[in-house]
Amino acid sequence: MSAIFGMLGSTSASNGVRALRSSFTTKYECDRSAIWFNETCGLGTLEQWINKEEEHSPQPFRLDSLIIVFDGMLDYRDDLKEKLNVGFQEKSTDAELVAKSFMKWGIECVEHLMGIFAFAVYDESINEMWIVRDRLGERAVCYTHREDGLMFSTTPKPIATYYDYDINETFLKQYAVSPMQLKTHDPYIAPWEKIQYVPPGHVLHYQQGNVTLKEYWAYQSQPERTFRSEEECHEELDKILEEATRTCTRTDGEVGLMLSGGLDSTTVAAYAAPLLQREDKSLHAYTHVPLSEYEDSAEILGNERPLVEEVLKYYPSIKPNWIENRERNAYNTMDDWLEILEMPYGFFINAPWLLSIHETAKNQDVRVMLNGKHGNCTISYGSIGVYYSELFRSAQFSEMIKEFYALLNNGMSVYTASKKIFGSVILSYKISHKSERLLKKHISKFLSIDLRNKITYRHLNLNEHNVKERLSDSYERDHFHFHGVFSTMCSLRFNCVVRDPLSSIQLIDFCSSLSSDYFASKGVSKKLVRSLMKNRLPLKVLDMNRPRGRQSADWNFRLINSQNSIMNDLQITKSNLISIESLDKLWNSLSKDIWTMNFMFRRIIIHKFKGGES
């Protein structure tokens, strides 16, 4: 794992890479840092080793005329070694394997590389460069293209500092209106002008002063498969998940997991804990617990510790860490996160425990932090309401009758079963623009009329009538890019790479080949994971009727002690993007309504990011 940076096309390339290197080594810990340059090109890395083998191949890595800088972790390395005729016992680093792959296939090597990565390849013989970002954008890399050449970097601030770029006001406008989007929305602009991120699944090619971007991967449904039985499907899925977990936990350090009581992270725990135990290692689990004064409701489960404790009974090798840290809240962690991310952010209510988890994990020498964020697009995908709507709209009435009887067999009354099925169908017509209607109520209080007129809600209106199309729609959204930027910045700060076995491309392809009824049917939402994990997770976790888990449900309790500081900050902030209510009434609204809190905290963040300027 590394920060990578470089410059091509300028006679000052050596000065440029020296400046970039200084920016990284001044801020981050590293195991090694080096640069390489010739008359017009310079490349460099700041290495943070996840595996000791990385020590044996210093970067920038050279193979014949190729010079390579690599950030990330390659997966399924044995398969790649076999294609390259590299001995399995040979301790090749990821950078070496990328170099050998490029030598064999050229830039088409991206089709053979799996994992999370961003890398650059410079061919000195033809003076050309390629910059690659992995399929889901789990590692970030950005660039600026000028008359005097191309400069790239893992993070944008060193580029902005070198060229003295101004803050990008368009970025701030996009940030202010989120989760809505401007009609001119560009998710890949950086917080500073003239800097862009390489999009996920893309290759940037720089040749003779020209930049071209080419997409090499995009989500697409695979041909639908049939299985002789559900067990056959589960057997193949089990192998995919086990191998994905094994490759994600490839480290000489400790392995951690952000563990809630939800289906995704508990499934990751169920695969990772036995695997690590066989290697005489423990899985360090980190669970947010709310303040003691917080009380759950009948519908919302904010304290998921009891569910996690049930999981620990199944997997006693897991070492739990209960993260409360009552002194921290969404407001007093702003400066920490602005320093870590070097840009505005919006995950305010999760900010306290995310920071505490990463700090605790670093103290325990955790080098790989697992999560299950992508599970909603793979194993735990599937709304039963959308499935009912799909059956109705495609006139599959015999299947609807089967669903009706399945609900009766599960103990429902005729009235309740009828309401569940036909209520979902009717609701699918009503909620197609639910998000848009909800947000319009809130933004009228905070955003100017001019800004409101530039907003679109189209991306928020998910397909409510087709299970597979809704899954495909989820890959059109920008959150994969933003998750990648967040993970990259956290890994640099805490020397710990974030991995998600549920984002394996093999798993994504497998799930995309399944018919709708695998995801939801027989009255069961998220059916794939519930059936797969039936005997591997506690029934309390799998129970579809339990209260829904909500992390950070105690966010407003945590803010009470910061009331005066928050109100003072809001009083001095000035913004033409986010307006403010009467200060007399604001606290009551801010401390109860999450949307008011989000917009007011964005106002403070913009003010802080601009150094206190209006």
Side-chain angles (χ1 to χ4, degrees), residues 211-236:
V211 165
T212 56
L213 278 170
K214 181 181 178 182
E215 185 177 64
Y216 71 89
W217 186 87
Y219 176 84
Q220 54 183 339
S221 292
Q222 302 298 310
E224 192 168 297
R225 298 180 57 185
T226 56
F227 296 91
R228 287 171 294 183
S229 65
E230 190 175 67
E231 289 72 24
E232 183 184 30
C233 172
H234 289 170
E235 184 178 335
E236 184 171 340

PDB file of all heavy atoms in Angstrom, residues 211-236:
ATOM      1  N   VAL A 211      -4.359  13.896 -23.072  1.00  0.00           N
ATOM      2  CA  VAL A 211      -4.924  12.977 -22.088  1.00  0.00           C
ATOM      3  C   VAL A 211      -6.187  12.348 -22.661  1.00  0.00           C
ATOM      4  O   VAL A 211      -7.067  13.039 -23.173  1.00  0.00           O
ATOM      5  CB  VAL A 211      -5.271  13.700 -20.769  1.00  0.00           C
ATOM      6  CG1 VAL A 211      -6.176  12.839 -19.895  1.00  0.00           C
ATOM      7  CG2 VAL A 211      -4.004  14.052 -20.009  1.00  0.00           C
ATOM      8  N   THR A 212      -6.271  11.026 -22.573  1.00  0.00           N
ATOM      9  CA  THR A 212      -7.505  10.322 -22.938  1.00  0.00           C
ATOM     10  C   THR A 212      -7.900   9.408 -21.787  1.00  0.00           C
ATOM     11  O   THR A 212      -7.046   8.820 -21.129  1.00  0.00           O
ATOM     12  CB  THR A 212      -7.338   9.469 -24.214  1.00  0.00           C
ATOM     13  OG1 THR A 212      -6.251   8.553 -24.022  1.00  0.00           O
ATOM     14  CG2 THR A 212      -7.059  10.348 -25.411  1.00  0.00           C
ATOM     15  N   LEU A 213      -9.211   9.326 -21.526  1.00  0.00           N
ATOM     16  CA  LEU A 213      -9.753   8.438 -20.511  1.00  0.00           C
ATOM     17  C   LEU A 213     -10.566   7.352 -21.192  1.00  0.00           C
ATOM     18  O   LEU A 213     -11.390   7.629 -22.062  1.00  0.00           O
ATOM     19  CB  LEU A 213     -10.658   9.211 -19.545  1.00  0.00           C
ATOM     20  CG  LEU A 213      -9.986   9.985 -18.409  1.00  0.00           C
ATOM     21  CD1 LEU A 213     -10.994  10.887 -17.711  1.00  0.00           C
ATOM     22  CD2 LEU A 213      -9.354   9.035 -17.394  1.00  0.00           C
ATOM     23  N   LYS A 214     -10.342   6.111 -20.776  1.00  0.00           N
ATOM     24  CA  LYS A 214     -11.067   4.989 -21.364  1.00  0.00           C
ATOM     25  C   LYS A 214     -11.594   4.096 -20.251  1.00  0.00           C
ATOM     26  O   LYS A 214     -10.859   3.704 -19.350  1.00  0.00           O
ATOM     27  CB  LYS A 214     -10.156   4.177 -22.284  1.00  0.00           C
ATOM     28  CG  LYS A 214     -10.852   2.994 -22.953  1.00  0.00           C
ATOM     29  CD  LYS A 214      -9.892   2.222 -23.840  1.00  0.00           C
ATOM     30  CE  LYS A 214     -10.573   1.013 -24.475  1.00  0.00           C
ATOM     31  NZ  LYS A 214      -9.636   0.229 -25.315  1.00  0.00           N
ATOM     32  N   GLU A 215     -12.884   3.786 -20.326  1.00  0.00           N
ATOM     33  CA  GLU A 215     -13.495   2.891 -19.346  1.00  0.00           C
ATOM     34  C   GLU A 215     -13.180   1.445 -19.694  1.00  0.00           C
ATOM     35  O   GLU A 215     -13.360   1.022 -20.830  1.00  0.00           O
ATOM     36  CB  GLU A 215     -15.009   3.104 -19.331  1.00  0.00           C
ATOM     37  CG  GLU A 215     -15.735   2.310 -18.255  1.00  0.00           C
ATOM     38  CD  GLU A 215     -17.220   2.602 -18.240  1.00  0.00           C
ATOM     39  OE1 GLU A 215     -17.903   2.287 -19.247  1.00  0.00           O
ATOM     40  OE2 GLU A 215     -17.709   3.160 -17.236  1.00  0.00           O
ATOM     41  N   TYR A 216     -12.704   0.673 -18.716  1.00  0.00           N
ATOM     42  CA  TYR A 216     -12.413  -0.736 -18.967  1.00  0.00           C
ATOM     43  C   TYR A 216     -13.349  -1.666 -18.199  1.00  0.00           C
ATOM     44  O   TYR A 216     -13.347  -2.882 -18.444  1.00  0.00           O
ATOM     45  CB  TYR A 216     -10.954  -1.077 -18.640  1.00  0.00           C
ATOM     46  CG  TYR A 216     -10.606  -1.076 -17.158  1.00  0.00           C
ATOM     47  CD1 TYR A 216     -10.738  -2.222 -16.387  1.00  0.00           C
ATOM     48  CD2 TYR A 216     -10.120   0.074 -16.536  1.00  0.00           C
ATOM     49  CE1 TYR A 216     -10.408  -2.234 -15.045  1.00  0.00           C
ATOM     50  CE2 TYR A 216      -9.797   0.079 -15.193  1.00  0.00           C
ATOM     51  CZ  TYR A 216      -9.944  -1.076 -14.449  1.00  0.00           C
ATOM     52  OH  TYR A 216      -9.622  -1.070 -13.106  1.00  0.00           O
ATOM     53  N   TRP A 217     -14.143  -1.100 -17.264  1.00  0.00           N
ATOM     54  CA  TRP A 217     -15.099  -1.933 -16.545  1.00  0.00           C
ATOM     55  C   TRP A 217     -16.321  -1.120 -16.172  1.00  0.00           C
ATOM     56  O   TRP A 217     -16.222   0.038 -15.759  1.00  0.00           O
ATOM     57  CB  TRP A 217     -14.496  -2.499 -15.263  1.00  0.00           C
ATOM     58  CG  TRP A 217     -15.421  -3.477 -14.565  1.00  0.00           C
ATOM     59  CD1 TRP A 217     -15.514  -4.816 -14.797  1.00  0.00           C
ATOM     60  CD2 TRP A 217     -16.391  -3.186 -13.541  1.00  0.00           C
ATOM     61  NE1 TRP A 217     -16.486  -5.384 -13.986  1.00  0.00           N
ATOM     62  CE2 TRP A 217     -17.039  -4.401 -13.203  1.00  0.00           C
ATOM     63  CE3 TRP A 217     -16.788  -2.016 -12.886  1.00  0.00           C
ATOM     64  CZ2 TRP A 217     -18.042  -4.483 -12.226  1.00  0.00           C
ATOM     65  CZ3 TRP A 217     -17.793  -2.090 -11.928  1.00  0.00           C
ATOM     66  CH2 TRP A 217     -18.406  -3.311 -11.606  1.00  0.00           C
ATOM     67  N   ALA A 218     -17.479  -1.704 -16.333  1.00  0.00           N
ATOM     68  CA  ALA A 218     -18.746  -1.148 -15.850  1.00  0.00           C
ATOM     69  C   ALA A 218     -19.639  -2.317 -15.494  1.00  0.00           C
ATOM     70  O   ALA A 218     -19.544  -3.401 -16.083  1.00  0.00           O
ATOM     71  CB  ALA A 218     -19.404  -0.266 -16.907  1.00  0.00           C
ATOM     72  N   TYR A 219     -20.505  -2.111 -14.537  1.00  0.00           N
ATOM     73  CA  TYR A 219     -21.393  -3.191 -14.113  1.00  0.00           C
ATOM     74  C   TYR A 219     -22.317  -3.602 -15.243  1.00  0.00           C
ATOM     75  O   TYR A 219     -22.891  -2.759 -15.935  1.00  0.00           O
ATOM     76  CB  TYR A 219     -22.242  -2.739 -12.924  1.00  0.00           C
ATOM     77  CG  TYR A 219     -23.253  -3.784 -12.501  1.00  0.00           C
ATOM     78  CD1 TYR A 219     -22.877  -4.817 -11.655  1.00  0.00           C
ATOM     79  CD2 TYR A 219     -24.563  -3.754 -12.970  1.00  0.00           C
ATOM     80  CE1 TYR A 219     -23.783  -5.796 -11.267  1.00  0.00           C
ATOM     81  CE2 TYR A 219     -25.481  -4.720 -12.586  1.00  0.00           C
ATOM     82  CZ  TYR A 219     -25.086  -5.733 -11.736  1.00  0.00           C
ATOM     83  OH  TYR A 219     -25.985  -6.704 -11.361  1.00  0.00           O
ATOM     84  N   GLN A 220     -22.438  -4.892 -15.439  1.00  0.00           N
ATOM     85  CA  GLN A 220     -23.432  -5.412 -16.366  1.00  0.00           C
ATOM     86  C   GLN A 220     -23.909  -6.777 -15.882  1.00  0.00           C
ATOM     87  O   GLN A 220     -23.123  -7.574 -15.363  1.00  0.00           O
ATOM     88  CB  GLN A 220     -22.875  -5.526 -17.786  1.00  0.00           C
ATOM     89  CG  GLN A 220     -21.596  -6.330 -17.923  1.00  0.00           C
ATOM     90  CD  GLN A 220     -21.077  -6.333 -19.347  1.00  0.00           C
ATOM     91  OE1 GLN A 220     -21.804  -6.090 -20.301  1.00  0.00           O
ATOM     92  NE2 GLN A 220     -19.790  -6.598 -19.497  1.00  0.00           N
ATOM     93  N   SER A 221     -25.211  -7.008 -16.042  1.00  0.00           N
ATOM     94  CA  SER A 221     -25.773  -8.288 -15.613  1.00  0.00           C
ATOM     95  C   SER A 221     -25.217  -9.423 -16.452  1.00  0.00           C
ATOM     96  O   SER A 221     -25.108  -9.311 -17.674  1.00  0.00           O
ATOM     97  CB  SER A 221     -27.301  -8.257 -15.722  1.00  0.00           C
ATOM     98  OG  SER A 221     -27.853  -7.370 -14.780  1.00  0.00           O
ATOM     99  N   GLN A 222     -24.871 -10.494 -15.788  1.00  0.00           N
ATOM    100  CA  GLN A 222     -24.382 -11.687 -16.473  1.00  0.00           C
ATOM    101  C   GLN A 222     -25.578 -12.531 -16.937  1.00  0.00           C
ATOM    102  O   GLN A 222     -26.694 -12.380 -16.435  1.00  0.00           O
ATOM    103  CB  GLN A 222     -23.508 -12.507 -15.531  1.00  0.00           C
ATOM    104  CG  GLN A 222     -22.314 -11.747 -14.986  1.00  0.00           C
ATOM    105  CD  GLN A 222     -21.360 -11.290 -16.069  1.00  0.00           C
ATOM    106  OE1 GLN A 222     -20.959 -12.074 -16.922  1.00  0.00           O
ATOM    107  NE2 GLN A 222     -21.012 -10.008 -16.056  1.00  0.00           N
ATOM    108  N   PRO A 223     -25.368 -13.398 -17.912  1.00  0.00           N
ATOM    109  CA  PRO A 223     -26.457 -14.289 -18.348  1.00  0.00           C
ATOM    110  C   PRO A 223     -27.037 -15.048 -17.155  1.00  0.00           C
ATOM    111  O   PRO A 223     -26.291 -15.545 -16.302  1.00  0.00           O
ATOM    112  CB  PRO A 223     -25.759 -15.236 -19.333  1.00  0.00           C
ATOM    113  CG  PRO A 223     -24.595 -14.454 -19.845  1.00  0.00           C
ATOM    114  CD  PRO A 223     -24.133 -13.610 -18.697  1.00  0.00           C
ATOM    115  N   GLU A 224     -28.351 -15.123 -17.099  1.00  0.00           N
ATOM    116  CA  GLU A 224     -29.012 -15.738 -15.952  1.00  0.00           C
ATOM    117  C   GLU A 224     -28.709 -17.230 -15.869  1.00  0.00           C
ATOM    118  O   GLU A 224     -28.777 -17.950 -16.863  1.00  0.00           O
ATOM    119  CB  GLU A 224     -30.519 -15.517 -16.040  1.00  0.00           C
ATOM    120  CG  GLU A 224     -31.249 -15.874 -14.760  1.00  0.00           C
ATOM    121  CD  GLU A 224     -32.677 -15.389 -14.755  1.00  0.00           C
ATOM    122  OE1 GLU A 224     -32.879 -14.146 -14.805  1.00  0.00           O
ATOM    123  OE2 GLU A 224     -33.581 -16.240 -14.714  1.00  0.00           O
ATOM    124  N   ARG A 225     -28.369 -17.658 -14.670  1.00  0.00           N
ATOM    125  CA  ARG A 225     -28.009 -19.048 -14.443  1.00  0.00           C
ATOM    126  C   ARG A 225     -29.137 -19.798 -13.755  1.00  0.00           C
ATOM    127  O   ARG A 225     -29.969 -19.209 -13.053  1.00  0.00           O
ATOM    128  CB  ARG A 225     -26.751 -19.129 -13.577  1.00  0.00           C
ATOM    129  CG  ARG A 225     -25.520 -18.503 -14.212  1.00  0.00           C
ATOM    130  CD  ARG A 225     -24.328 -18.616 -13.294  1.00  0.00           C
ATOM    131  NE  ARG A 225     -24.046 -20.015 -12.938  1.00  0.00           N
ATOM    132  CZ  ARG A 225     -23.101 -20.375 -12.066  1.00  0.00           C
ATOM    133  NH1 ARG A 225     -22.359 -19.449 -11.492  1.00  0.00           N
ATOM    134  NH2 ARG A 225     -22.883 -21.640 -11.795  1.00  0.00           N
ATOM    135  N   THR A 226     -29.133 -21.092 -13.938  1.00  0.00           N
ATOM    136  CA  THR A 226     -30.064 -21.959 -13.212  1.00  0.00           C
ATOM    137  C   THR A 226     -29.261 -22.993 -12.434  1.00  0.00           C
ATOM    138  O   THR A 226     -28.198 -23.435 -12.878  1.00  0.00           O
ATOM    139  CB  THR A 226     -31.027 -22.687 -14.172  1.00  0.00           C
ATOM    140  OG1 THR A 226     -30.265 -23.429 -15.135  1.00  0.00           O
ATOM    141  CG2 THR A 226     -31.921 -21.678 -14.892  1.00  0.00           C
ATOM    142  N   PHE A 227     -29.771 -23.345 -11.273  1.00  0.00           N
ATOM    143  CA  PHE A 227     -29.126 -24.336 -10.425  1.00  0.00           C
ATOM    144  C   PHE A 227     -30.100 -25.476 -10.172  1.00  0.00           C
ATOM    145  O   PHE A 227     -31.322 -25.284 -10.148  1.00  0.00           O
ATOM    146  CB  PHE A 227     -28.702 -23.712  -9.088  1.00  0.00           C
ATOM    147  CG  PHE A 227     -27.669 -22.637  -9.214  1.00  0.00           C
ATOM    148  CD1 PHE A 227     -28.040 -21.300  -9.370  1.00  0.00           C
ATOM    149  CD2 PHE A 227     -26.319 -22.939  -9.188  1.00  0.00           C
ATOM    150  CE1 PHE A 227     -27.094 -20.296  -9.485  1.00  0.00           C
ATOM    151  CE2 PHE A 227     -25.357 -21.949  -9.306  1.00  0.00           C
ATOM    152  CZ  PHE A 227     -25.747 -20.619  -9.456  1.00  0.00           C
ATOM    153  N   ARG A 228     -29.565 -26.646  -9.971  1.00  0.00           N
ATOM    154  CA  ARG A 228     -30.415 -27.805  -9.707  1.00  0.00           C
ATOM    155  C   ARG A 228     -31.131 -27.673  -8.364  1.00  0.00           C
ATOM    156  O   ARG A 228     -32.215 -28.219  -8.169  1.00  0.00           O
ATOM    157  CB  ARG A 228     -29.590 -29.087  -9.733  1.00  0.00           C
ATOM    158  CG  ARG A 228     -29.142 -29.514 -11.138  1.00  0.00           C
ATOM    159  CD  ARG A 228     -28.152 -30.659 -11.092  1.00  0.00           C
ATOM    160  NE  ARG A 228     -26.886 -30.253 -10.474  1.00  0.00           N
ATOM    161  CZ  ARG A 228     -25.821 -31.040 -10.355  1.00  0.00           C
ATOM    162  NH1 ARG A 228     -25.867 -32.285 -10.797  1.00  0.00           N
ATOM    163  NH2 ARG A 228     -24.717 -30.593  -9.791  1.00  0.00           N
ATOM    164  N   SER A 229     -30.511 -26.917  -7.461  1.00  0.00           N
ATOM    165  CA  SER A 229     -31.109 -26.723  -6.144  1.00  0.00           C
ATOM    166  C   SER A 229     -30.533 -25.457  -5.519  1.00  0.00           C
ATOM    167  O   SER A 229     -29.510 -24.928  -5.979  1.00  0.00           O
ATOM    168  CB  SER A 229     -30.821 -27.923  -5.237  1.00  0.00           C
ATOM    169  OG  SER A 229     -29.420 -28.020  -4.986  1.00  0.00           O
ATOM    170  N   GLU A 230     -31.183 -25.011  -4.472  1.00  0.00           N
ATOM    171  CA  GLU A 230     -30.673 -23.864  -3.731  1.00  0.00           C
ATOM    172  C   GLU A 230     -29.344 -24.205  -3.086  1.00  0.00           C
ATOM    173  O   GLU A 230     -28.447 -23.351  -2.984  1.00  0.00           O
ATOM    174  CB  GLU A 230     -31.691 -23.445  -2.662  1.00  0.00           C
ATOM    175  CG  GLU A 230     -31.365 -22.116  -2.004  1.00  0.00           C
ATOM    176  CD  GLU A 230     -32.447 -21.675  -1.036  1.00  0.00           C
ATOM    177  OE1 GLU A 230     -32.613 -22.354   0.007  1.00  0.00           O
ATOM    178  OE2 GLU A 230     -33.129 -20.668  -1.302  1.00  0.00           O
ATOM    179  N   GLU A 231     -29.188 -25.442  -2.675  1.00  0.00           N
ATOM    180  CA  GLU A 231     -27.934 -25.881  -2.055  1.00  0.00           C
ATOM    181  C   GLU A 231     -26.759 -25.760  -3.016  1.00  0.00           C
ATOM    182  O   GLU A 231     -25.642 -25.408  -2.623  1.00  0.00           O
ATOM    183  CB  GLU A 231     -28.056 -27.333  -1.576  1.00  0.00           C
ATOM    184  CG  GLU A 231     -28.952 -27.529  -0.362  1.00  0.00           C
ATOM    185  CD  GLU A 231     -30.431 -27.367  -0.684  1.00  0.00           C
ATOM    186  OE1 GLU A 231     -30.811 -27.563  -1.878  1.00  0.00           O
ATOM    187  OE2 GLU A 231     -31.195 -27.019   0.228  1.00  0.00           O
ATOM    188  N   GLU A 232     -26.995 -26.067  -4.299  1.00  0.00           N
ATOM    189  CA  GLU A 232     -25.928 -25.953  -5.295  1.00  0.00           C
ATOM    190  C   GLU A 232     -25.496 -24.495  -5.443  1.00  0.00           C
ATOM    191  O   GLU A 232     -24.299 -24.191  -5.538  1.00  0.00           O
ATOM    192  CB  GLU A 232     -26.399 -26.496  -6.642  1.00  0.00           C
ATOM    193  CG  GLU A 232     -25.297 -26.475  -7.708  1.00  0.00           C
ATOM    194  CD  GLU A 232     -25.781 -26.924  -9.081  1.00  0.00           C
ATOM    195  OE1 GLU A 232     -26.974 -26.718  -9.380  1.00  0.00           O
ATOM    196  OE2 GLU A 232     -24.961 -27.455  -9.841  1.00  0.00           O
ATOM    197  N   CYS A 233     -26.472 -23.602  -5.452  1.00  0.00           N
ATOM    198  CA  CYS A 233     -26.169 -22.168  -5.507  1.00  0.00           C
ATOM    199  C   CYS A 233     -25.345 -21.753  -4.291  1.00  0.00           C
ATOM    200  O   CYS A 233     -24.341 -21.056  -4.421  1.00  0.00           O
ATOM    201  CB  CYS A 233     -27.469 -21.366  -5.583  1.00  0.00           C
ATOM    202  SG  CYS A 233     -27.255 -19.582  -5.422  1.00  0.00           S
ATOM    203  N   HIS A 234     -25.768 -22.207  -3.113  1.00  0.00           N
ATOM    204  CA  HIS A 234     -25.074 -21.844  -1.874  1.00  0.00           C
ATOM    205  C   HIS A 234     -23.655 -22.391  -1.841  1.00  0.00           C
ATOM    206  O   HIS A 234     -22.745 -21.741  -1.321  1.00  0.00           O
ATOM    207  CB  HIS A 234     -25.855 -22.359  -0.667  1.00  0.00           C
ATOM    208  CG  HIS A 234     -27.132 -21.623  -0.428  1.00  0.00           C
ATOM    209  ND1 HIS A 234     -28.083 -22.044   0.474  1.00  0.00           N
ATOM    210  CD2 HIS A 234     -27.622 -20.490  -0.983  1.00  0.00           C
ATOM    211  CE1 HIS A 234     -29.094 -21.201   0.471  1.00  0.00           C
ATOM    212  NE2 HIS A 234     -28.845 -20.263  -0.408  1.00  0.00           N
ATOM    213  N   GLU A 235     -23.465 -23.569  -2.388  1.00  0.00           N
ATOM    214  CA  GLU A 235     -22.135 -24.173  -2.394  1.00  0.00           C
ATOM    215  C   GLU A 235     -21.158 -23.328  -3.202  1.00  0.00           C
ATOM    216  O   GLU A 235     -20.018 -23.083  -2.771  1.00  0.00           O
ATOM    217  CB  GLU A 235     -22.219 -25.589  -2.972  1.00  0.00           C
ATOM    218  CG  GLU A 235     -20.899 -26.342  -2.938  1.00  0.00           C
ATOM    219  CD  GLU A 235     -21.023 -27.764  -3.464  1.00  0.00           C
ATOM    220  OE1 GLU A 235     -22.130 -28.330  -3.403  1.00  0.00           O
ATOM    221  OE2 GLU A 235     -20.006 -28.295  -3.947  1.00  0.00           O
ATOM    222  N   GLU A 236     -21.591 -22.857  -4.369  1.00  0.00           N
ATOM    223  CA  GLU A 236     -20.714 -22.010  -5.187  1.00  0.00           C
ATOM    224  C   GLU A 236     -20.501 -20.653  -4.536  1.00  0.00           C
ATOM    225  O   GLU A 236     -19.383 -20.119  -4.526  1.00  0.00           O
ATOM    226  CB  GLU A 236     -21.315 -21.844  -6.581  1.00  0.00           C
ATOM    227  CG  GLU A 236     -20.404 -21.064  -7.517  1.00  0.00           C
ATOM    228  CD  GLU A 236     -20.881 -21.074  -8.958  1.00  0.00           C
ATOM    229  OE1 GLU A 236     -21.686 -21.973  -9.322  1.00  0.00           O
ATOM    230  OE2 GLU A 236     -20.461 -20.179  -9.726  1.00  0.00           O
TER     231      GLU A 236
END
